[in-house]
Amino acid sequence: MEMLVRSSAEPSPQAEWWKGATIYQIYPRSYADSNGDGIGDLPGITQHLEHIAELGVDAVWISPFYKSPMADFGYDVADFCDVDPIFGTLEDFDALLARAHELGLKVIIDQVYSHASDQHDWFRESRTSRDNDKADWFVWADANPDGSPPTNWQSVFGGPAWTWDARRGQYYLHNFLPQQPDLNVHNPAVQDAILATQKFWLDRGVDGIRLDAVNFMMHDLNMRDNPPVRDASTKKTRPFDFQHHFYNQSHPAIIDFLEELRAQADTYSGRFLVAEVGGERGQEEMKLYTAPPGRLHSAYGFLYLYANALNADLIREATELWPENDETGWPSWTFSNHDAPRAISRWASEENQAAFARMSFLLLNSLRGNIFIYQGEELGLPQAHVPFERLQDPEAITNWPETLGRDGARTPMPWQHDAENAGFSSAEPWLPVDPRHAELAVDLQAADENSTLTIARRILALRRENSTLREGSMRFFGDTPDKLAIFQRGSGNDALLCAFNLSAQKIDWQLPAGWTVIESVNHDSDGDSLAGYAGLIAART
């Protein structure tokens, strides 16, 4: 649609680049394969950075590409400061970083400081005896008198969070897979090693770091059992869901170490630290970990990622969690990522997914905070179908068929609709390409002025140039139906009015006098209603 009016608000010159930024997540295994082995790699990313720059985002976040046995596809790190050969080399990363900077893109990398791989040299040494130099670098504990694990803690991926090691005659803790032993971040030597790792990448020129599973970084030193969840209505698909996780995560001392990480990052110019924080206390901990002035710059959790439905109450709850005051930090939001089924498949029926993809993209860009866009979200990709025999994700295999799993969100990016494997690779990809994705490939959408991709570029341009969308306040209007979200960004002459129909049915609603639509999707402009999955942003006339 033609842009009739724009708010006069321009990007704030004094704002830090990350505040209100739009960040594009790349899952490197699935983005682009440059060498024909069926697995995406760093040179493949570099070759396609123009696509991301043309979107109009501020930064890219690249999921782990470090040396790893790939038990959890890179989140089991065997060397925090080197590239796994399947992804390339450190020189390939340097080339990616240089090209991104040429295109005006910041680069954020993923670091996992709560655990390592059981193939990491630190753990190999730690497990040899109880008195070696790395003996206390991981969480070891004696068995109970009956030989059972030290506590009742359960792993996220199923089963006890403890594995017996005969060489030490002790159990080691792993909140995820047994191949991902937990680092003992209480140990000052481990903290020094983590700080050295962060410094390695900051010295190399990265612009930011996403800290994975931050609230798992420290455990209860008294080894207390977690209490059970007694709410019978809570859905439980894994042993992990049967407990309140008071003692295997969320230790108060995590905050002190996060302040050390921030202090080190602040010795560099313009660096950005963002945490992933999940779990039953995730919203509370996001605020704790980002409280001004000396903690992390931002954090994001799973409020939207794990929500079964999108409604006005959910958006209102997210907004009210982050009041604008001197005590509250800055939020980040995402609707989809590599750990959750794609939003349009969670929140919309198949026949409405195209319309929903556009509305949800406009909604995400209207929120106060940083926003993360997961690769393919700009194309409106639904959750891919991956047959059981092609599943790769250990969590998906363990919980099949009770959950959609993560593999369906990790399938290859479709670049060319008529090319082999949709242009991702000349070889059979590590996960299959869903035929529906090929029909939504970049080449087709780039040539269509009405495509989801074209609309996404337009929406991102509006957010990029408008400080009200990037940094302005956010408040909801009065009582509205559950499927109608209406809120205002900013105030005064620069205010923007945002209205979204979160349902497939038309809702009666009229734009108030004194406002003019500057951007809309699925909107019929008849003046007295919002069509199904319509969304709009209006500026003062």
Side-chain angles (χ1 to χ4, degrees), residues 246-496:
F246 295 163
Y247 300 120
N248 63 314
Q249 62 182 82
S250 308
H251 195 282
I254 291 173
I255 292 172
D256 296 332
F257 185 54
L258 295 180
E259 290 177 349
E260 289 194 53
L261 291 168
R262 171 65 187 271
Q264 183 184 68
D266 282 350
T267 64
Y268 298 78
S269 175
R271 301 306 200 263
F272 171 60
L273 300 182
V274 57
E276 176 208 39
V277 186
E280 59 188 321
R281 290 177 290 164
Q283 307 310 316
E284 169 194 345
E285 289 170 349
M286 284 171 66
K287 293 168 73 172
L288 280 173
Y289 297 163
T290 59
R295 298 177 188 171
L296 303 180
H297 298 91
S298 189
Y300 82 81
F302 294 82
L303 185 68
Y304 288 111
L305 284 171
Y306 286 174
N308 293 323
L310 178 64
N311 53 51
D313 286 343
L314 181 67
I315 303 168
R316 187 190 302 270
E317 177 188 354
T319 301
E320 292 174 350
L321 282 167
W322 294 87
E324 296 175 69
N325 56 49
D326 294 337
E327 291 78 41
T328 305
W330 185 254
S332 290
W333 304 111
T334 186
F335 290 170
S336 295
N337 75 3
H338 66 292
D339 276 336
R342 288 187 179 271
I344 67 171
S345 294
R346 284 185 283 120
W347 291 340
S349 60
E350 188 166 353
E351 64 270 21
N352 291 314
Q353 285 178 352
F356 183 88
R358 299 173 184 192
M359 184 277 293
S360 64
F361 200 89
L362 183 62
L363 172 61
L364 181 63
N365 277 267
S366 302
L367 299 179
R368 176 181 176 267
N370 302 328
I371 60 171
F372 285 78
I373 297 167
Y374 182 49
Q375 63 183 52
E377 203 167 354
E378 75 276 22
L379 304 177
L381 297 186
Q383 181 82 350
H385 172 66
V386 181
F388 180 78
E389 63 272 14
R390 291 294 305 273
L391 291 177
Q392 302 287 334
D393 174 32
E395 183 181 29
I397 294 168
T398 299
N399 295 321
W400 187 89
E402 293 302 315
T403 64
L404 285 174
R406 302 184 297 178
D407 283 329
R410 298 176 173 183
T411 56
M413 182 80 170
W415 294 103
Q416 295 175 268
H417 73 287
D418 57 354
E420 185 177 17
N421 303 311
F424 166 74
S425 175
S426 59
E428 178 66 24
W430 74 287
L431 282 172
V433 176
D434 190 313
R436 297 173 301 163
H437 288 191
E439 297 171 2
L440 297 170
V442 171
D443 67 328
L444 286 178
Q445 295 206 38
D448 180 357
E449 64 179 12
N450 296 311
S451 70
T452 300
L453 174 59
T454 301
I455 292 169
R457 290 172 174 168
R458 193 177 73 206
I459 292 168
L460 286 164
L462 176 62
R463 181 178 173 96
R464 186 180 182 100
E465 69 186 34
N466 191 291
S467 65
T468 298
L469 284 177
R470 293 171 67 93
E471 305 165 46
S473 60
M474 180 170 172
R475 67 177 180 87
F476 271 78
F477 283 105
D479 294 328
T480 59
D482 187 48
K483 291 298 183 179
L484 182 60
I486 303 174
F487 53 86
Q488 181 174 306
R489 297 296 314 279
S491 60
N493 291 333
D494 291 331
L496 297 172

Side-chain angles (χ1 to χ4, degrees), residues 62-330:
I62 308 174
S63 292
F65 50 84
Y66 317 108
K67 282 190 174 178
S68 168
M70 301 295 164
D72 190 24
F73 300 103
Y75 284 91
D76 51 319
V77 180
D79 188 335
F80 290 102
C81 297
D82 203 358
V83 175
D84 194 278
I86 68 169
F87 295 127
T89 65
L90 275 171
E91 290 72 26
D92 290 328
F93 176 79
D94 291 340
L96 187 163
L97 185 66
R99 181 60 180 147
H101 286 167
E102 286 175 1
L103 292 168
L105 295 168
K106 307 289 187 182
V107 175
I108 298 165
I109 62 168
D110 214 327
Q111 288 276 274
V112 188
Y113 294 151
S114 68
H115 56 268
S117 166
D118 62 352
Q119 301 304 306
H120 197 294
D121 287 344
W122 297 346
F123 187 72
R124 285 176 167 172
E125 182 175 352
S126 185
R127 74 191 317 179
T128 60
S129 69
R130 300 191 187 192
D131 58 2
N132 62 78
D133 288 344
K134 302 289 190 299
D136 199 28
W137 279 44
F138 293 82
V139 183
W140 296 95
D142 293 330
N144 285 324
D146 63 357
S148 61
T151 69
N152 70 348
W153 303 344
Q154 296 294 305
S155 160
V156 171
F157 291 154
W162 296 96
T163 289
W164 176 257
D165 188 279
R167 278 161 285 194
R168 282 189 52 139
Q170 287 182 304
Y171 284 94
Y172 68 86
L173 177 66
H174 53 87
N175 279 299
F176 297 93
L177 294 173
Q179 297 93 330
Q180 294 170 292
D182 270 50
L183 286 160
N184 180 16
V185 185
H186 289 288
N187 185 337
V190 174
Q191 294 187 11
D192 288 345
I194 291 172
L195 286 163
T197 298
Q198 178 175 264
K199 184 177 188 300
F200 173 88
W201 291 105
L202 293 175
D203 284 346
R204 209 162 195 96
V206 301
D207 303 286
I209 294 175
R210 173 201 181 260
L211 304 171
D212 182 72
V214 161
N215 49 350
F216 284 95
M217 286 174 74
M218 294 183 186
H219 65 291
D220 175 45
L221 295 173
N222 294 319
M223 294 289 178
R224 288 171 282 185
D225 282 346
N226 283 327
V229 173
R230 301 197 182 277
D231 182 0
S233 66
T234 303
K235 184 177 180 181
K236 303 175 180 69
T237 61
R238 352 162 250 189
F240 186 81
D241 301 328
F242 285 78
Q243 296 180 352
H244 294 291
H245 300 281
F246 295 163
Y247 300 120
N248 63 314
Q249 62 182 82
S250 308
H251 195 282
I254 291 173
I255 292 172
D256 296 332
F257 185 54
L258 295 180
E259 290 177 349
E260 289 194 53
L261 291 168
R262 171 65 187 271
Q264 183 184 68
D266 282 350
T267 64
Y268 298 78
S269 175
R271 301 306 200 263
F272 171 60
L273 300 182
V274 57
E276 176 208 39
V277 186
E280 59 188 321
R281 290 177 290 164
Q283 307 310 316
E284 169 194 345
E285 289 170 349
M286 284 171 66
K287 293 168 73 172
L288 280 173
Y289 297 163
T290 59
R295 298 177 188 171
L296 303 180
H297 298 91
S298 189
Y300 82 81
F302 294 82
L303 185 68
Y304 288 111
L305 284 171
Y306 286 174
N308 293 323
L310 178 64
N311 53 51
D313 286 343
L314 181 67
I315 303 168
R316 187 190 302 270
E317 177 188 354
T319 301
E320 292 174 350
L321 282 167
W322 294 87
E324 296 175 69
N325 56 49
D326 294 337
E327 291 78 41
T328 305
W330 185 254

